[in-house]
Amino acid sequence: MRKRTLFRLAAGTIAAGAATLAYASLIERNMFTLRRFDVPVLPTDAEPLRVLHLSDLHMMPDQQRKQQWVASLAALDPDLVVVTGDNMAHPAAVPGVLRALQPLLDLPGAFVFGSNDYTGPVLKNPFSYFLPAREYSEGVELPYEELRDVFVGAGWADLNNARTTLKAGGRLVELVGVDDPHIERDDYPSVAGPVSAAADLSVAIAHSPEPAVLDQMAADGFSLLLAGHTHGGQVCVPGYGALVTNCGLPRSMAKGLHRWPGSDAWLHVSAGLGTHPTAPVRFACPPEASVLTLIPR
């Protein structure tokens, strides 16, 4: 009787695990979700301004459902599009990325790259993400310059360690960004400095939301900080949240809108739209894009 009970428990556990894995890999990772947030960063009496924040597409050439869903977001008619990196996951991914983003390229936009724009993913032990000093492994080189040329050719601002202004929604927006801090390509000191009093809005972006970089951006007066990279934890525990963030950000800030500590800035971390190709699962953390409606303070 005891052996039979143990066998049933083991069989039930295996069945539950298999069902969870099937749900995470076949269903939830394709449950593309649009998040909406109101962010009070504009001057009093200013008209709202809508920012579409996209991140971590990790595009594979055959992911047509994802491409079509992202392309459909053009119907939202945002004032500004911001892409915070990790667009590709395969050397032949550029056409798929462009099928997704082409309808948005006519709008004012800005971008930075992430590590998986430069090199492809490699097979790794998922438990290594719990190690604080995990060694970064590079895969095959990806055609990031080809992607950069398309974005810049469309008029989007390349903010990889750069600073600029552009017009969006009839407003002058000051933008600053860094290349990916996760692989130590960031150089914020080269673009640092107080925000311009002439700008109606100041936005800072990075792929990986490393606190040391965000602190400097907030100290310079940038009121809205945008990042991705975390995948929201990718695999979360209901009622507990993300297990890891893969950066220095606390688990409680793995996704969504947060007030950045010690400043007047707001941070939005996108849970992203893709997954690592060698771990194509999401649980309690569906893929997402976000519309941030900026409103008066």
Side-chain angles (χ1 to χ4, degrees):
M1 180 69 73
R2 185 178 180 183
K3 288 182 178 179
R4 189 180 303 161
T5 300
L6 290 174
F7 176 79
R8 287 175 177 172
L9 286 173
T13 300
I14 292 171
T20 300
L21 179 61
Y23 166 80
S25 61
L26 299 176
I27 298 176
E28 185 166 318
R29 78 180 179 95
N30 292 307
M31 292 173 57
F32 303 115
T33 303
L34 182 64
R35 306 289 187 197
R36 297 179 183 271
F37 299 91
D38 289 343
V39 192
V41 293
L42 295 181
T44 304
D45 299 327
E47 290 294 320
L49 187 146
R50 286 181 299 171
V51 178
L52 175 62
H53 182 193
L54 304 173
S55 196
D56 297 88
L57 273 72
H58 289 282
M59 191 68 73
M60 298 289 284
D62 59 347
Q63 292 179 322
Q64 296 183 14
R65 182 184 303 178
K66 185 194 298 183
Q67 295 162 18
Q68 293 167 1
W69 189 85
V70 174
S72 74
L73 298 177
L76 298 170
D77 194 26
D79 298 300
L80 176 65
V81 181
V82 175
V83 176
T84 49
D86 274 9
N87 297 281
M88 298 181 284
H90 190 279
V94 170
V97 173
L98 296 184
R99 279 192 292 272
L101 297 180
Q102 190 68 53
L104 297 165
L105 291 177
D106 291 334
L107 300 169
F111 70 95
V112 291
F113 284 152
S115 60
N116 286 147
D117 289 306
Y118 296 110
T119 58
V122 297
L123 183 65
K124 62 188 72 174
N125 182 348
F127 293 101
S128 67
Y129 285 99
F130 292 93
L131 300 176
R134 180 172 58 89
E135 183 178 350
Y136 178 72
S137 300
E138 294 186 359
V140 63
E141 183 173 329
L142 297 178
Y144 63 93
E145 290 295 359
E146 180 181 350
L147 190 61
R148 189 200 309 271
D149 288 345
V150 174
F151 286 172
V152 173
W156 281 14
D158 180 351
L159 294 180
N160 289 291
N161 298 322
R163 189 166 181 161
T164 191
T165 59
L166 56 75
K167 278 294 187 72
R171 263 65 65 87
L172 182 66
V173 182
E174 184 174 21
L175 295 148
V176 72
V178 293
D179 208 340
D180 191 4
H182 184 62
I183 51 175
E184 300 180 349
R185 295 181 66 110
D186 58 301
D187 184 13
Y188 187 72
S190 69
V191 293
V195 297
S196 170
D200 299 300
L201 171 68
S202 56
V203 180
I205 72 175
H207 175 64
S208 178
E210 293 296 345
V213 175
L214 300 180
D215 280 340
Q216 295 175 76
M217 292 170 163
D220 277 342
F222 285 90
S223 55
L224 179 60
L225 316 176
L226 302 178
H229 176 69
T230 66
H231 295 193
Q234 189 165 320
V235 175
C236 298
V237 176
Y240 181 79
L243 300 176
V244 294
T245 63
N246 196 25
C247 65
L249 200 68
R251 289 186 306 100
S252 60
M253 302 175 78
K255 63 180 178 179
L257 184 67
H258 309 274
R259 201 65 183 264
W260 186 245
S263 76
D264 293 329
W266 289 89
L267 167 67
H268 179 259
V269 180
S270 173
L273 284 157
T275 63
H276 195 289
T278 64
V281 297
R282 278 185 177 256
F283 187 76
C285 186
E288 68 177 42
S290 296
V291 172
L292 310 176
T293 300
L294 311 188
I295 59 176
R297 298 183 179 86

